[in-house]
Amino acid sequence: MNEIILIELDDKTRERHLQETERWFEHVLTAQTAFEALLAKAIPAIQEPHIREALEKIQDASRDHHAYAKRLFTLIGRSPDTVLDRILGTTSAKLEEGLFVFQDMMGGAVGSWQYLHHLLLLNQQAMGAFAVAEQLGYSLGMKELVDIAFPTAHEKHIHQLLLQEYMLEMAPISILYKEDV
């Protein structure tokens, strides 16, 4: 027979858990903002119409993901620091972009393909951040958090597969022929 064990946390412990969760949700929002900032720069640079169209669809979904990231705060009775998140997201995207460009140049990649590579990496961060938010929902016993984070992480996983496919498909054009995609 399986027994159910209930553990009651005192208010101080619960508050500490919510504060740590809030800090993580700031990371979720920052990672999502960094991804969105780079996506907005990438779309006009991509010449291949099918890839550009796919990125525009990802951008539409990313707007929803941003709203979901903000909604996570509401569910724990908090508010995001949207100014700080915008600054951190933009700054994070710039710093990572500089590092990625350096890595790509060392590998011989050029042009707009680099955006696909960078988007793949930034989406991975945002996807992982939402997945951790899901786990926090389970740990806190808050199904509402799971109901937002799980489908968002799943959709970002689908986007990850698309980004990976486009990045791999277009890599030879960038590396071998030194052309934009």
Side-chain angles (χ1 to χ4, degrees), residues 163-179:
L163 290 168
Q164 179 177 318
E165 181 61 30
Y166 296 141
M167 189 266 308
L168 292 173
E169 183 180 327
M170 296 298 160
I173 294 169
S174 173
I175 296 168
L176 298 176
Y177 301 107
K178 307 294 184 205
E179 294 180 12

Side-chain angles (χ1 to χ4, degrees), residues 65-85:
H65 298 167
H66 191 92
Y68 299 153
K70 286 180 163 182
R71 175 87 174 111
L72 293 172
F73 288 92
T74 305
L75 294 173
I76 63 168
R78 309 294 166 96
S79 298
D81 186 343
T82 53
V83 173
L84 180 61
D85 291 323

Side-chain angles (χ1 to χ4, degrees), residues 22 41 50 63 107 116 132 146 151 166:
E22 179 183 15
K41 287 177 61 176
H50 295 97
R63 290 183 186 108
L116 295 173
V132 170
V146 175
Y166 296 141

